[in-house]
Amino acid sequence: MKLTVLYRGPLSGCNYGCEYCPFGKWKQSEEELTKDRADLERFLQWVESRTQDTVSVFFTPWGEALIWPWYQQALARLTHLPHVERAAVQTNLSCRLDWLTECRTEKLGIWATYHPEWMKRSRFLAQCERLSEHGVRHSAGMVGFRRFADEAEALRRELPEDTYLWINAVKDGLDAYTPEDVERFTRIDPLFPVNNTRHPSRGRACRGGESVLSVDGDGTAYRCHFIKEPLGNLYAPDFDAALKPRPCSKDTCGCHIGYVHLEYLELDRVFGSGLLERVPTTRLWSGGLQRSASRSSQS
Ligand code: SF4
Ligand code: SF4
């Protein structure tokens, strides 16, 4: 069986303090961090036990995980498992990167979000460069607030041409876009219109709940992060019986980590093996469609 697990443990703190984020500058107690670490260990042991399957893992924490050594070690450990295809993580990329030397970096994927209010552009670029030096496939991205548009253009100019820069559309009405804004962000990220859409999903086939799962620290499994109807507990001996095709029960799906699994969108063809860390297989920016096969494993 081929399985992708989006893991989100109890961690919910971050070293940055983005004003729009509930986890900003939130410090967790030693007790909470100890539980997060223990839950992660249990999850890793479960992955280690699934030798009959091909497993990909995507850490999508509330807050920032890579400032904690147990997430760095978890990624390293996962990349060394023969039955693990990819181990990916969403991060603000503020952490040290010396742990990369312990990874099989060809299996590692990094979804790096640049927060210009908390990190200098030069530092973010240097961190991306370091990822490239280690052969880590990664995407870079920003939240598409209109006030960040200049900075996003500057980042696009300074990133290597073959690094994909995504822009996450602000869809909750906080920052209503004009057609010019949409055009501007689309020049930076040709896939911006895809992200700026709430895709109709009710009754549609989605891999969530069949070959893709969202799992919390206690092992409670959901089809995705957006439908909070438990499918069962990952650690229960009969859990696999819960995996089956299920049409989506929500009207729309508007987040990359969800809609990429909606089958009719066929975004697996756009992202290929870079689906989790959001790296398209085809270079879509800087002059249109160009195959980037020679760099498909290096962003
Ligand atoms: S870096 Fe991410 S998790 Fe941290 S405060 Fe900003 S948005 Fe929230
Ligand atoms: S379409 Fe989105 S909301 Fe619906 S099941 Fe898939 S990931 Fe979840």
Side-chain angles (χ1 to χ4, degrees):
M1 181 186 340
K2 205 163 169 163
L3 208 50
T4 296
V5 186
L6 278 63
Y7 179 85
R8 181 178 279 164
L11 188 84
S12 57
C14 185
N15 52 333
Y16 286 178
C18 305
E19 43 152 353
Y20 51 86
C21 174
F23 310 107
K25 289 290 175 198
W26 181 259
K27 285 214 178 352
Q28 291 184 277
S29 66
E30 280 304 316
E31 202 180 317
E32 289 167 326
L33 291 171
T34 301
K35 171 153 176 40
D36 185 71
R37 187 174 186 164
D39 286 352
L40 179 63
E41 177 57 34
R42 188 179 185 197
F43 174 67
L44 293 174
Q45 286 178 16
W46 176 85
V47 178
E48 281 166 348
S49 74
R50 300 290 297 208
T51 49
Q52 75 281 21
D53 300 319
T54 302
V55 183
S56 291
V57 174
F58 188 20
F59 293 126
T60 57
W62 296 128
E64 175 57 34
L66 283 186
I67 50 176
W68 301 109
W70 55 94
Y71 281 95
Q72 301 168 1
Q73 288 152 13
L75 284 166
R77 198 161 138 190
L78 288 169
T79 62
H80 284 281
L81 295 175
H83 63 288
V84 166
E85 198 166 59
R86 291 211 72 70
V89 62
Q90 293 180 317
T91 173
N92 62 23
L93 210 56
S94 59
C95 63
R96 296 169 53 132
L97 294 174
D98 45 358
W99 55 276
L100 292 176
T101 56
E102 292 163 36
C103 298
R104 282 190 61 187
T105 51
E106 71 275 16
K107 288 195 189 179
L108 191 61
I110 302 267
W111 160 311
T113 309
Y114 170 49
H115 296 282
E117 286 160 329
W118 294 92
M119 189 188 268
K120 286 202 166 84
R121 192 191 322 144
S122 54
R123 161 124 167 102
F124 184 79
L125 287 162
Q127 291 283 83
C128 289
E129 201 179 325
R130 188 108 191 262
L131 293 178
S132 294
E133 283 164 10
H134 283 275
V136 180
R137 185 162 64 185
H138 59 282
S139 66
M142 290 180 68
V143 181
F145 285 117
R146 291 187 303 160
R147 66 178 186 277
F148 292 162
D150 288 347
E151 190 58 36
E153 285 171 344
L155 183 63
R156 178 62 279 166
R157 277 194 301 275
E158 292 179 36
L159 275 170
E161 244 191 47
D162 53 2
T163 300
Y164 174 52
L165 171 59
W166 47 262
I167 304 290
N168 258 0
V170 178
K171 295 191 278 289
D172 55 8
L174 280 180
D175 210 21
Y177 295 128
T178 63
E180 291 73 31
D181 294 325
V182 172
E183 243 175 68
R184 193 173 178 191
F185 280 133
T186 305
R187 274 197 297 275
I188 300 166
D189 170 11
L191 294 175
F192 179 74
V194 177
N195 188 260
N196 194 28
T197 302
R198 292 184 193 278
H199 301 279
S201 57
R202 187 174 291 278
R204 305 280 196 149
C206 176
R207 288 182 285 277
E210 185 183 11
S211 59
V212 182
L213 283 177
S214 146
V215 172
D216 70 15
D218 295 328
T220 307
Y222 305 88
R223 63 172 85 181
C224 64
H225 285 331
F226 315 105
I227 298 177
K228 287 297 170 199
E229 183 191 309
L231 305 180
N233 191 288
L234 188 71
Y235 307 127
D238 58 351
F239 174 73
D240 287 7
L243 298 171
K244 58 178 186 195
R246 300 179 164 75
C248 178
S249 58
K250 271 185 63 132
D251 287 339
T252 60
C253 189
C255 189
H256 175 94
I257 60 174
Y259 64 65
V260 288
H261 303 297
L262 252 180
E263 291 190 5
Y264 80 93
L265 294 180
E266 297 191 341
L267 289 168
D268 48 335
R269 295 174 64 177
V270 176
F271 289 94
S273 64
L275 195 76
L276 299 182
E277 60 269 24
R278 205 169 173 170
V279 177
T281 54
T282 304
R283 197 190 305 169
L284 305 159
W285 57 102
S286 303
L289 278 169
Q290 298 172 45
R291 296 298 301 175
S292 58
S294 62
R295 295 282 305 211
S296 65
S297 64
Q298 304 245 331
S299 81

